[in-house]
Amino acid sequence: MIVTTADLFKVAYGKFAVGAYNINNLEQCMGLFRGNLDSQAPFIIQISKGARSYTHKLMLEGLIRSAEQVFPEAVFAVHLDHGDEATCYDCIDSGFYSSVMIDASHESLAENIAITRRVADRAHAKGISVEAELGQLGGVEEHVSVKEADAKLTDPDQALEFVTGSGCDSLACAIGTSHGAFKFIGTQGLHFDVLEEIQKRLPGFPLVMHGSSSVPQDEVARINAAGGALAGAKGVDAGEFHRASLLGVTKINIDTDGRLVWTRVHREYFRDKPENFDLRPPGKVFMAEYAAFIAAKNGFLGSAGQLGLVKKELGLA
Ligand code: G3H
Ligand code: 13P
Ligand code: ZN
């Protein structure tokens, strides 16, 4: 059943983080539902602008509505990931999305506040909640000094001003992560000090961690052994999710790891069966492997086993 993101956050805040997983196609959709049910976890489905235009924006909506019938036990929200203003309005007006993310983090503070406020007003009128972003999730590059990288982190004082001024319902904070498979060099990691300061200023307010794929090294090694070229890929230690959730991180975004599962399965399958040209056998392997990946990830997020509590708290039991 589709529920509001706000309801999931009420149950999860300070206890566990809800996994927010991006999907683009049928196989990801099936694996996602199976994995969350296998681990008895509530979850958030994320749809990016790119995913909406991969085929047609209505295709994923149709898939998710069908999955809701195929898996009636599932409890989840549907979220627009990294939206611009126009896409947010389209999703708000569609009546399908539980929440939207307006990403104006590249704008000045004043402009970010103004854009987010417009989106929040329109979303709230329809009972939809809004995630916004403050700070910059930089890619980690050799030439960027630690000082420069730290300057892009969310400023805790600005966070309070931003949330108050913009009316957003959750805040994506830059605490050292970045999108994709190449996040850290050397000993860089998450800035729990920044998170702690943000939580002090915004107690009870849901925080969001983007760029949280773990980029498992065994996965990378298998991809490279099967013809890939992902040298130096490195991600977030999933063992740190629990500490982050105690500091107010209520939603953790994971996309890249799912893409790595897809890449490994398909590279290995066609390497080992070069005579094959049927898409269904590797598709079946992927759905099972993606489900297992999701279930394991939910263990780290603390969302595994919380489905009963969520149903009870939301009056669905
Ligand atoms: O943060 C970005 C997500 O991983 C979505 O990626 O825009 O390629 O669909 P995408
Ligand atoms: P990853 O690239 O680490 O999976 O991050 C995904 C994300 O933040 C989607 O918004
Ligand atoms: Zn993101």
Side-chain angles (χ1 to χ4, degrees):
M1 156 180 262
I2 300 180
V3 297
T4 67
T5 306
D7 274 346
L8 290 184
F9 283 176
K10 265 182 231 146
V11 182
Y13 186 90
K15 295 200 244 347
F16 62 92
V18 183
Y21 299 102
N22 292 66
I23 67 163
N24 296 269
N25 66 12
L26 163 71
E27 288 79 9
Q28 284 180 306
C29 187
M30 286 298 286
L32 182 63
F33 275 80
R34 279 194 191 137
N36 281 298
L37 279 183
D38 288 349
S39 57
Q40 290 290 288
F43 59 104
I44 296 172
I45 302 180
Q46 301 214 110
I47 304 179
S48 71
K49 267 173 61 183
R52 279 162 57 89
S53 61
Y54 173 52
T55 54
H56 187 283
K57 63 183 183 184
L58 293 180
M59 292 299 286
L60 283 173
E61 181 175 336
L63 267 180
I64 293 166
R65 288 199 192 279
S66 299
E68 195 181 9
Q69 290 176 21
V70 176
F71 301 98
E73 295 295 305
V75 173
F76 61 98
V78 181
H79 177 78
L80 168 69
D81 189 28
H82 291 285
D84 53 25
E85 198 170 352
T87 311
C88 283
Y89 295 152
D90 195 54
C91 292
I92 291 164
D93 294 342
S94 75
F96 176 59
Y97 289 74
S98 318
S99 51
V100 294
M101 176 191 189
I102 172 68
D103 183 354
S105 57
H106 46 283
E107 302 282 357
S108 67
L109 177 65
E111 194 57 16
N112 193 355
I113 291 177
I115 295 170
T116 304
R117 169 57 72 185
R118 288 199 291 274
V119 172
D121 286 347
R122 194 140 149 193
H124 292 164
K126 295 219 173 179
I128 292 166
S129 55
V130 174
E131 175 183 326
E133 180 168 321
L134 183 66
Q136 302 251 312
L137 275 78
V140 176
E141 292 157 44
E142 218 82 54
H143 66 273
V144 176
S145 71
V146 173
K147 209 170 157 209
E148 278 175 293
D150 286 359
K152 296 178 175 179
L153 301 179
T154 303
D155 175 333
D157 289 326
Q158 272 190 7
L160 177 59
E161 182 188 348
F162 179 78
V163 167
T164 315
S166 70
C168 68
D169 306 283
S170 61
L171 183 67
C173 310
I175 57 159
T177 62
S178 59
H179 293 113
F182 302 87
K183 301 186 193 296
F184 303 114
I185 347 173
T187 55
Q188 290 168 315
L190 301 185
H191 288 257
F192 284 104
D193 50 336
V194 174
L195 210 46
E196 230 172 284
E197 290 304 315
I198 297 171
Q199 197 197 31
K200 267 189 210 154
R201 287 158 180 79
L202 292 165
F205 192 81
L207 306 177
V208 180
M209 222 165 88
H210 281 246
S212 301
S213 279
S214 299
V215 191
Q217 291 304 295
D218 56 331
E219 201 73 287
V220 173
R222 285 174 72 175
I223 289 170
N224 289 343
L230 296 179
K234 202 169 172 194
V236 175
D237 177 1
E240 299 199 305
F241 290 168
H242 180 62
R243 185 171 168 205
S245 70
L246 298 180
L247 291 171
V249 171
T250 315
K251 171 174 176 279
I252 292 190
N253 289 10
I254 294 159
D255 183 8
T256 295
D257 280 350
R259 297 179 186 204
L260 293 176
V261 176
W262 187 94
T263 303
R264 185 253 302 165
V265 165
H266 288 83
R267 278 197 179 278
E268 288 185 346
Y269 187 85
F270 288 109
R271 175 197 62 190
D272 298 342
K273 295 193 170 42
E275 73 289 356
N276 203 333
F277 56 91
D278 186 350
L279 69 159
R280 286 177 305 213
K284 278 202 159 206
V285 177
F286 170 73
M287 287 188 274
E289 295 270 326
Y290 190 50
F293 159 78
I294 295 286
K297 191 64 82 178
N298 290 339
F300 287 103
L301 293 166
S303 62
Q306 304 284 1
L307 191 57
L309 174 72
V310 167
K311 285 186 174 174
K312 192 167 151 250
E313 300 268 314
L314 302 188
L316 306 172

